[in-house]
Amino acid sequence: MYIDWVGDQPFLLLEPDTGEVHKVHFFATTLGVSSLIYAEAFLNEKLSSFVEGTIHAVQFYGGITKYFVPDNLKAAVTKHSKDELVLQSVYSDLEDFYDTIVLPPPPRKPRGKATVENHVRYLETHLIEPLKERTYTSLEELNRDIKEKVAVLNSRKFQNRPYSRLDAFERYDKPCMKPLPHEIFTVCDYKAISKVPDNYHIEYDGHYYSVVYTQCGKPAILKATHTEIRICDSYNRLLCKHKRSYRDFPRYITEDSHMRPEHLYYKEVNSKDGAYYRRWASVFGPSMSEFIDRMLKSSKHEEQSYNACAGILHSVKDLPHGIVEEVARQCIEMNSCRYKTFKQVLGKLQSGEPCSEEHLPQHENI
């Protein structure tokens, strides 16, 4: 797909309130075999307009060509010499998103861009000149007229040939194009980071997003959309993605796989969930492990047993492990793994009283 701005910039847009007439810029693309045309008017030739025009052109064709061939425009190309090609960051992302190859023609080589230059001249004659016959009060109105005129040009048969651009597109270009992605490309807000901090989190809009800890001290690029945070290395290779957060809490958004091993261990040890209480119980022995496991499973929702587990484990943390194991074993034998049962058995065991089954509360499952 060849991409360029048309050189002719006529004054076509009338400001109704002031009577001022603005010039418009024509973005145009064509395909290599069929020469199928896409054109759109913009108020300027800034990067945002260039990217938007490229996205609309891809949607117009209904597929993705193997190559995008823009002229050496600042909106797409940062540097292009015989030794080096550096794409503008946003256009590089566009290249990755559509899984295509951006390949500008060699600079100062007219024969390298003959197709697009001929295409531009054709549009200046057959599209822009007819548009100059009137003025428009809005860009939308102008683009509607452009769409109608381009449709006529694409359906018009070539000179001395029995087919049109549209016919050639359906026969030659379209079968070779890749399907469009399900999502639409979104322009990102960029933030360059000279060094990833030691805590391996990068700040954006008051929130801190993690990157793998091995990137500490290295440069990175953060790209933010309305819904997503993407972090890339200095070569624009994707390192990780996060869902963008707008909540006041938590401020730190961390993936476990990004954490240092010692940090991950500390988190796992101190996370108060079912696994936390099972790990704590395993310190005393297998009977206590089974007792806590049964307690957690006895509730409809495991979280409902957390307080009872915490109460038992805190109350026995300074007791000999043998006593705790014996209490847990007796509770398991009575099939009464409950907080109240455990406390009663523990009290009797500490006071030296025999722990007979009749002195214990009856469980509904016994």
Side-chain angles (χ1 to χ4, degrees):
M1 182 173 74
Y2 294 92
I3 310 168
D4 203 358
W5 291 103
V6 178
D8 194 359
Q9 300 168 3
F11 288 82
L12 298 178
L13 202 58
L14 175 66
E15 186 73 40
D17 297 332
T18 63
E20 185 179 359
V21 181
H22 301 279
K23 68 179 180 180
V24 294
H25 302 257
F26 286 87
F27 173 89
T29 67
T30 188
L31 300 181
V33 177
S34 65
S35 297
L36 192 71
I37 297 167
Y38 175 77
E40 185 175 358
F42 289 93
L43 293 175
N44 55 59
E45 296 184 6
K46 293 182 178 179
L47 172 64
S48 57
S49 300
F50 193 74
V51 171
E52 184 179 351
T54 303
I55 295 170
H56 291 171
V58 169
Q59 293 171 340
F60 170 77
Y61 293 125
I64 303 166
T65 58
K66 183 177 181 180
Y67 298 103
F68 284 6
V69 186
D71 201 355
N72 288 280
L73 307 165
K74 291 183 179 180
V77 181
T78 301
K79 181 181 179 181
H80 191 190
S81 65
K82 65 177 182 178
D83 301 315
E84 186 178 18
L85 170 63
V86 180
L87 297 179
Q88 208 279 346
S89 296
V90 177
Y91 220 72
S92 178
D93 287 344
L94 193 76
E95 178 185 45
D96 294 338
F97 180 81
Y98 286 125
D99 191 23
T100 186
I101 302 171
V102 175
L103 198 64
R108 295 178 293 278
K109 298 284 186 180
R111 284 185 293 180
K113 49 183 179 179
T115 300
V116 70
E117 293 296 341
N118 291 335
H119 168 66
V120 166
R121 285 195 292 270
Y122 179 85
L123 287 180
E124 287 176 340
T125 302
H126 295 89
L127 175 64
I128 297 178
E129 286 301 324
L131 290 172
K132 291 179 180 179
E133 296 175 1
R134 56 167 294 194
T135 55
Y136 300 84
T137 57
S138 71
L139 206 58
E140 292 76 15
E141 182 187 9
L142 172 58
N143 279 321
R144 280 197 299 270
D145 205 0
I146 291 172
K147 185 177 180 180
E148 292 174 2
K149 285 179 167 51
V150 166
V152 172
L153 294 176
N154 284 331
S155 300
R156 182 184 298 171
K157 286 183 170 52
F158 287 107
Q159 190 174 5
N160 300 323
R161 295 180 188 176
Y163 56 86
S164 65
R165 287 177 169 80
L166 189 58
D167 296 332
F169 169 75
E170 295 290 344
R171 183 173 181 180
Y172 300 110
D173 283 327
K174 191 173 183 178
C176 298
M177 299 173 80
K178 293 185 293 186
L180 292 172
H182 297 298
E183 300 175 351
I184 297 176
F185 178 79
T186 305
V187 178
C188 304
D189 184 19
Y190 286 76
K191 180 177 181 179
I193 296 91
S194 57
K195 287 184 179 181
V196 174
D198 290 339
N199 69 353
Y200 49 89
H201 284 74
I202 298 174
E203 188 274 337
Y204 182 81
D205 194 25
H207 290 80
Y208 298 82
Y209 299 90
S210 68
V211 64
V212 63
Y213 71 93
T214 54
Q215 292 296 315
C216 289
K218 299 179 182 179
I221 303 170
L222 183 145
K223 304 173 184 178
T225 68
H226 293 298
T227 59
E228 189 178 55
I229 298 292
R230 297 196 292 269
I231 300 176
C232 302
D233 64 11
S234 56
Y235 296 98
N236 206 33
R237 294 175 299 199
L238 182 66
L239 296 173
C240 62
K241 295 180 181 180
H242 293 276
K243 184 178 179 180
R244 184 170 176 179
S245 176
Y246 292 92
R247 297 185 299 173
D248 293 335
F249 182 84
R251 293 285 185 179
Y252 281 80
I253 292 85
T254 308
E255 288 284 343
D256 287 353
S257 59
H258 296 166
M259 300 176 72
R260 296 181 186 275
E262 59 270 25
H263 294 175
L264 183 59
Y265 174 78
Y266 181 85
K267 178 186 176 183
E268 290 177 347
V269 168
N270 289 277
S271 61
K272 296 193 171 44
D273 55 9
Y276 168 77
Y277 293 113
R278 288 182 175 93
R279 281 195 303 270
W280 191 355
S282 67
V283 173
F284 297 96
S287 296
M288 192 60 175
S289 292
E290 184 178 350
F291 174 83
I292 291 296
D293 185 63
R294 289 192 183 190
M295 277 194 67
L296 290 167
K297 292 178 178 177
S298 66
S299 300
K300 184 177 180 180
H301 301 286
E302 194 174 81
E303 291 84 349
Q304 294 170 341
S305 298
Y306 287 174
N307 286 343
C309 290
I312 289 174
L313 291 166
H314 276 291
S315 67
V316 300
K317 63 182 179 181
D318 296 324
L319 295 179
H321 290 188
I323 294 177
V324 178
E325 276 286 279
E326 178 61 22
V327 175
R329 185 189 64 78
Q330 292 187 28
C331 291
I332 292 169
E333 285 182 354
M334 291 183 287
N335 197 25
S336 182
C337 294
R338 302 166 62 200
Y339 177 86
K340 187 175 181 180
T341 304
F342 187 93
K343 297 297 286 186
Q344 286 187 355
V345 173
L346 178 61
K348 291 182 180 297
L349 195 63
Q350 288 178 319
S351 64
E353 295 182 32
C355 296
S356 58
E357 187 172 330
E358 58 268 22
H359 293 137
L360 297 173
Q362 294 297 313
H363 191 274
E364 59 186 0
N365 293 331
I366 297 177

